[in-house]
Amino acid sequence: MAQAQRTPVSATVPNDLEPFWMPFTANRAFKARPRMIARAKDMFYFTPEGRKLLDGSAGLWCTNAGHNRDPIVEAIQAQAAEVDFAPPFQFAHPKAFELAARVAALAPGDLDHVFFCNSGSEAVDTALKIALAYHNVRGNASRVRLIGRERGYHGVGFGGIAVGGIVSNRKQFGALMAGVDHLPSTYNREKQAFTMGEPEWGAHLADELDRLVALHDASTIAAVIVEPISGSTGVLPPPKGYLERLRAICDKHGILLIFDEVITGYGRLGYAFAAERYGVLPDMITFAKGITSGSVPMGGVVVRKGIYDAFMKGPEHVIELFHGYTYSAHPLACAAGLATLDLYRAEGLFERARKLEKPWAEAAMRLKGLPNVLDIRTVGLTAGIDLASKPDGVGKRGYQAMELAFHDYDLMFRGVGDTLALSPPLIVSEDQIGEIFDKTAAIIKAVA
Ligand SMILES: Cc1ncc(COP(=O)(O)O)c(C=O)c1O
C-alpha cells in the first residue's frame, strides 16, 4: 500500500493527523481541511488560531449547561485530587449514591433505581440486558425478542444497532442480533412537513406494535425501545398521542417500554426527561450526554421499582445482575454529574428551555421557502432542517453546509446526511438564536 501523505495539524498544534482514526467522520475530507477545536467557554468554541464559533449543537447534543462552566470544572478538579478511582463492583464511593438519588428524584413516577455506565450506547445495551434478565428472573425466559423502530438511533453497540433502524449499520455490519423487529418510523413528510412541535398525524402508527405481537406472540417479546424524539436521524418529534398508545399496547401485553433519552434527557425538551413532557411513564429511561453536560463520559439507566425489586431475591451474597463496567459511576463523572444537576437547578435551565421553545421554533420556521428546504421540524430546543440532496451525492449538501458554517460563518451545527441538526446549549440567548438561524439561512443560500 502506498504511504499516505501526512498532514500537519496546524502551526500551533505540531502533530500528525493520520494516526487518529476519527469516529463517524469523513477522515480524508477532515484531514484535508480540519475543523479543529482547542478551547470552549459557555456558548462558544475556539479554534487553535483563536477564532470564536457559536455552538449551535451543544457539542454533540450534550453540553446543555454550556461549555466549561466553572462549578463543573471545579468539581472535577476537586474530585481528581480526592479519589481517582474506586472499584464499582462490590465497593463504591459516596457520590455514586448521591448522584443516583438525584437522578431518581428527577425521573417521574417510580423510576427510582439507577444503573451507571459511560455512554449512551452502553446505556442502551444495559437497558436491553436488564429487560431480558427481568423476564428471565420472573420465569418468563421465552420473552427474548426486542422491538425497535425504523430510523431509531440507539448508539453503536450490537444491541443498539440491532434495535436501531439505520440502514448504514445493516449495510456495514451484517446480520446484527437475531430476534429483533421494528416499528415503522413516525415520520411522513407529506402529512407532517413544517410542523412546530409534535405533529397531529401519526398516532395510529403505534398500533403496528399490535401487528408485531400478532406475528411473534407477546410471550416472546421482552421490550420495545424508542427515542421519544429521534434526534440523530434528523429530529423527528412523536405524533400527538403516539407514545401514550405505545404505552397502552405494551401494558396490554406485558412488554417493557424503554425510552432512550440520551438526547432528550436533562432539559433538551424543557423537562428533566421527555417522559415528563409527554406524561408517559416508561419502564426504563436511558440517559447520557446532559447528565454531566458532556464534561466527563457518563451514561445510565433509570428503572422502575418493580424491575429492581424483581432482582432482589435469592441468597444475599450472590450478584443479582451479571452486568457492569469498570468505569460505572466513575468518581469524576459522579462529581461532574452532581455539579451539573446543581447548575441546571440553580439557573432554571430546563424551564429556560421551555420558555425559549417558541422563539426558537419561530426563528427556525423563518427558513421555510429558502432554496432546497424540504422540511423544518422543531421540538424543545432542537431543530431539523431537511435539504434536498445534490444530484451528485446524498449528504453532499449537508456536509458542505456544515463545513461552510465552521470555516466561514463561525457557527457549529451537525450535518446528518442532508439534514441540518441544531440543538444549542440551554443557556442560549434570544439574540444568539437569531444569529444561529440568520447564519444558517445564509449558509443554505450559499450551498444552493
Ligand atoms: C438516542 C441515543 N441513544 C444512544 C446514543 C449513543 O450515545 P453514545 O454516543 O454516548 O454511545 C445516542 C447518541 O447520540 C443517541 O442519540
Side-chain angles (χ1 to χ4, degrees):
M1 204 190 299
Q3 178 73 34
Q5 210 182 344
R6 300 211 143 188
T7 323
V9 175
S10 85
T12 50
V13 188
N15 209 331
D16 182 338
L17 296 185
E18 274 311 305
F20 177 30
W21 188 344
M22 298 174 68
F24 275 127
T25 297
N27 272 252
R28 287 159 302 158
F30 179 97
K31 289 169 188 180
R33 198 171 180 221
R35 294 174 293 279
M36 205 70 80
I37 294 157
R39 205 161 61 77
K41 188 68 188 160
D42 300 333
M43 280 297 299
F44 298 98
Y45 277 125
F46 297 84
T47 66
E49 298 77 22
R51 202 159 52 79
K52 186 176 171 185
L53 290 100
L54 185 57
D55 181 4
S57 56
L60 205 40
W61 317 84
C62 49
T63 58
N64 291 3
H67 292 279
N68 286 63
R69 299 298 308 276
D70 292 346
I72 303 175
V73 172
E74 283 155 19
I76 296 168
Q77 286 169 335
Q79 187 60 48
E82 194 178 291
V83 53
D84 52 356
F85 177 80
F89 306 170
Q90 308 285 17
F91 303 90
H93 64 97
K95 288 197 178 76
F97 297 92
E98 204 182 328
L99 184 59
R102 293 281 298 278
V103 171
L106 279 179
D110 60 351
L111 283 155
D112 60 7
H113 284 78
V114 183
F115 195 101
F116 286 115
C117 53
N118 310 285
S119 68
S121 300
E122 289 180 359
V124 167
D125 277 10
T126 298
L128 298 178
K129 287 175 74 175
I130 290 174
L132 296 174
Y134 166 78
H135 290 298
N136 197 306
V137 297
R138 286 167 31 106
N140 295 322
S142 67
R143 284 194 183 258
V144 291
R145 206 170 281 284
L146 300 166
I147 310 284
R149 191 169 59 190
E150 292 163 4
R151 291 191 74 166
Y153 181 70
H154 300 292
V156 295
F158 267 102
I161 59 176
V163 292
I166 306 235
V167 183
S168 301
N169 282 327
R170 281 148 215 291
K171 270 165 62 182
Q172 211 160 36
F173 306 116
L176 310 181
M177 259 170 50
V180 170
D181 213 332
H182 292 80
L183 294 164
S185 165
T186 58
Y187 181 60
N188 181 313
R189 184 172 293 152
E190 215 174 282
K191 308 272 189 201
Q192 299 169 342
F194 300 102
T195 304
M196 285 191 204
E198 296 76 12
E200 298 290 336
W201 183 92
H204 65 281
L205 293 169
D207 299 344
E208 287 294 306
L209 182 55
D210 265 329
R211 189 182 59 79
L212 293 179
V213 169
L215 175 66
H216 298 294
D217 198 77
S219 66
T220 71
I221 301 175
V224 170
I225 182 167
V226 293
E227 302 155 271
I229 66 154
S230 300
S232 298
T233 57
V235 180
L236 312 175
K240 284 183 186 150
Y242 174 88
L243 294 172
E244 291 89 322
R245 220 140 140 177
L246 215 49
R247 174 73 273 180
I249 300 170
C250 285
D251 283 346
K252 188 167 67 175
H253 298 294
I255 298 168
L256 295 176
L257 179 61
I258 304 167
F259 279 0
D260 185 351
E261 296 228 29
V262 166
I263 282 178
T264 53
Y266 303 104
R268 180 58 49 203
L269 300 188
Y271 296 84
F273 294 102
E276 191 185 340
R277 176 180 172 115
Y278 295 115
V280 176
L281 190 68
D283 297 296
M284 290 187 245
I285 287 177
T286 57
F287 65 85
K289 299 188 188 267
I291 176 71
T292 62
S293 194
S295 61
V296 180
M298 177 173 245
V301 184
V302 200
V303 308
R304 288 178 73 175
K305 181 172 164 37
I307 294 182
Y308 178 80
D309 287 348
F311 287 87
M312 299 303 126
K313 307 233 162 82
E316 291 203 357
H317 70 284
V318 172
I319 291 166
E320 297 102 355
L321 178 66
F322 212 66
H323 181 69
Y325 302 91
T326 298
Y327 301 117
S328 284
H330 190 280
L332 289 187
C334 290
L338 287 167
T340 302
L341 296 189
D342 285 345
L343 200 52
Y344 289 147
R345 186 165 56 193
E347 298 188 347
L349 291 183
F350 301 169
E351 296 76 18
R352 182 187 169 78
R354 215 179 304 162
K355 284 202 196 98
L356 287 174
E357 175 160 353
K358 192 158 177 275
W360 168 264
E362 287 170 356
M365 287 300 166
R366 284 202 281 276
L367 276 50
K368 184 177 176 182
L370 291 182
N372 302 304
V373 173
L374 301 177
D375 187 15
I376 300 173
R377 298 170 294 277
T378 61
V379 60
L381 280 187
T382 68
I385 304 171
D386 289 349
L387 301 180
S389 299
K390 290 200 162 195
D392 60 341
V394 173
K396 204 165 173 184
R397 200 187 304 278
Y399 183 84
Q400 285 173 347
M402 184 255 302
E403 204 184 25
L404 206 60
F406 183 94
H407 289 299
D408 295 350
Y409 288 84
D410 296 340
L411 176 67
M412 177 183 287
F413 55 62
R414 294 228 347 109
V416 188
D418 287 307
T419 300
L420 313 183
L422 295 114
S423 58
L426 312 181
I427 58 168
V428 68
S429 70
E430 290 208 37
D431 283 352
Q432 287 164 337
I433 289 175
E435 185 180 338
I436 288 171
F437 286 109
D438 286 349
K439 286 182 168 178
T440 304
I443 291 160
I444 289 173
K445 287 182 203 154
V447 297

